[in-house]
Amino acid sequence: MREHRYRITLEHLAPASEGQPLHAPLSFEAGNHDDIFSIVARLRGNGQFDSDTSAQLALGLKLFSEVMLKNRKHPLFEDIQPALRDFIMKLKSQGKAAAAAQGEAASE
């Protein structure tokens, strides 16, 4: 399967409370059949969530779902596959509805 390749870097900016360690950055490579940047842009553009929340949701969902897709026969994912498919369909349909509503409001 052809895929987009990404380098994911996570930087720990501040601990939750004083005295906890500040972790070194974590970096790894991941592949995905989708263009994650386009998905983040679409989710940000539909106005359901603020910009950072949209990016978190899109990235987390795409990373998780790609692992599940590549390991679809693993028993760990048996129960969650139907629910995740339903969740993604709901997210897409609500996003289209939100984008359409924004378009209508802008044209008034």
Side-chain angles (χ1 to χ4, degrees):
M1 175 186 339
R2 299 189 75 167
E3 63 183 12
H4 297 268
R5 296 293 304 162
Y6 299 97
R7 176 172 292 115
I8 311 296
T9 302
L10 179 67
E11 294 181 54
H12 191 188
L13 301 178
S17 61
E18 207 172 308
Q20 292 180 323
L22 191 63
H23 298 282
L26 169 67
S27 186
F28 61 93
E29 290 190 18
N32 200 287
H33 68 279
D34 287 322
D35 179 348
I36 296 174
F37 286 98
S38 293
I39 293 170
V40 169
R42 277 198 311 267
L43 196 55
R44 282 177 166 169
N46 72 24
Q48 290 188 94
F49 304 102
D50 65 57
S51 182
D52 285 351
T53 301
S54 294
Q56 289 174 57
L57 177 59
L59 181 59
L61 190 56
K62 289 310 301 173
L63 290 175
F64 178 76
S65 63
E66 191 72 12
V67 169
M68 190 176 73
L69 181 66
K70 289 178 179 177
N71 297 278
R72 69 172 62 84
K73 294 186 188 298
H74 194 289
L76 179 65
F77 300 113
E78 275 178 23
D79 296 335
I80 198 168
Q81 285 177 352
L84 186 62
R85 192 175 315 113
D86 292 346
F87 175 81
I88 291 170
M89 296 305 287
K90 185 176 182 178
L91 179 64
K92 286 179 178 180
S93 68
Q94 286 183 355
K96 288 177 185 174
Q102 283 182 343
E104 290 173 11
S107 65
E108 292 177 353

